[in-house]
Amino acid sequence: MLTALDVTDEVVEQAIEADVDLIVSHHPLIFRPLKRVNDEDFISRRIVRLLQHDICYFAMHTNFDIAPGCMADLAAAQLGMIAEEPLEITDEVDGKPVGIGKVGVWKDPVSVEDMAKIVKEKFHLPFVTVFGTGQVTKQVQRIAISPGSGGSMVKAAIDKQAEVLITGDIGHHDGIDAAANGVSVIDAGHYGIEQIFIPFMQRFLSEIPGANLEVITAEPAFPEKLIQ
């Protein structure tokens, strides 16, 4: 088996070369309906390659985002924040709220710039981008983290009185609007935080009692590069 965040051409070729039977990814290969599966489209071309080599494929997306102990909890734990509750509650499991992201506190107040450096270090990132350093000048401690694309989580962060939102895929307007409402935004990239799925799923699958599975991981592939 092979675990990956995205089923890219490189991941498909790695799976073929390693002779795996199953790919388990976080992001679905098919986001939009396909009318045909052939080699004329880059998505369906990947499917053809998988079929040709008898490789099955399974995606765990929103279910992994909200399940207890999965994406939100993993991200909060890797950052080292003291998590209190989901940033956006979607349901309950055993009487406890579950949902997207986490909100809580950092152990000691820090500047927004120092929090950005902590995020970069904790998630082993080449860079992060930050909104709100001019507006949020005080030391911050109340933290929200939402792995993946977090533009829609700005309002939730404001409502939960977060001082910093750590997420990815933040657009210009979302970033400046958050800053205007007293919330700085640290954009760690979509891949940057959600890459934690890869080693977690490798451990989870490898530890299934009696399964005797060999599980490898996709090669690290931070998709963005900062040119200065």
Side-chain angles (χ1 to χ4, degrees), residues 1-8 11-12 14-15 20-29 50 55-61 63-64 194-206 208 213-219:
M1 303 174 67
L2 182 149
T3 65
L5 186 69
D6 301 286
V7 183
T8 61
V11 167
V12 170
Q14 182 185 351
V20 306
D21 302 301
L22 172 66
I23 297 174
V24 178
S25 76
H26 179 51
H27 293 146
L29 177 56
L50 294 176
I55 298 175
C56 298
Y57 167 61
F58 185 74
M60 303 175 66
H61 195 209
N63 54 350
F64 190 85
E194 289 195 330
Q195 62 177 315
I196 58 180
F197 170 89
I198 301 171
F200 171 83
M201 192 53 59
Q202 181 193 35
R203 292 191 302 271
F204 179 84
L205 294 170
S206 299
I208 296 174
L213 297 173
E214 178 186 352
V215 187
I216 63 174
T217 62
E219 297 294 335

Side-chain angles (χ1 to χ4, degrees), residues 2-123:
L2 182 149
T3 65
L5 186 69
D6 301 286
V7 183
T8 61
D9 291 330
E10 292 77 13
V11 167
V12 170
E13 293 310 310
Q14 182 185 351
I16 292 170
E17 291 176 10
D19 195 27
V20 306
D21 302 301
L22 172 66
I23 297 174
V24 178
S25 76
H26 179 51
H27 293 146
L29 177 56
I30 303 172
F31 268 104
R32 298 176 181 85
L34 294 176
K35 294 183 178 180
R36 60 185 63 85
V37 175
N38 55 29
D39 61 0
E40 296 177 2
D41 172 84
F42 75 102
I43 295 294
S44 61
R45 192 157 50 240
R46 293 172 190 168
I47 296 172
V48 169
R49 292 286 285 161
L50 294 176
L51 290 170
Q52 288 173 333
H53 292 272
D54 294 327
I55 298 175
C56 298
Y57 167 61
F58 185 74
M60 303 175 66
H61 195 209
T62 308
N63 54 350
F64 190 85
D65 282 333
I66 66 175
C70 292
M71 188 66 81
D73 290 318
L74 292 171
Q78 180 138 337
L79 180 63
M81 64 184 282
I82 303 168
E84 296 174 351
E85 62 177 326
L87 180 57
E88 182 180 78
I89 297 172
T90 59
D91 207 339
E92 287 188 359
V93 174
D94 298 328
K96 296 182 179 181
V98 297
I100 303 295
K102 286 287 181 180
V103 64
V105 296
W106 189 247
K107 50 191 174 184
D108 298 302
V110 295
S111 68
V112 173
E113 289 88 347
D114 284 343
M115 190 73 245
K117 293 175 184 177
I118 291 168
V119 171
K120 182 175 177 289
E121 176 188 352
K122 294 289 187 178
F123 290 94

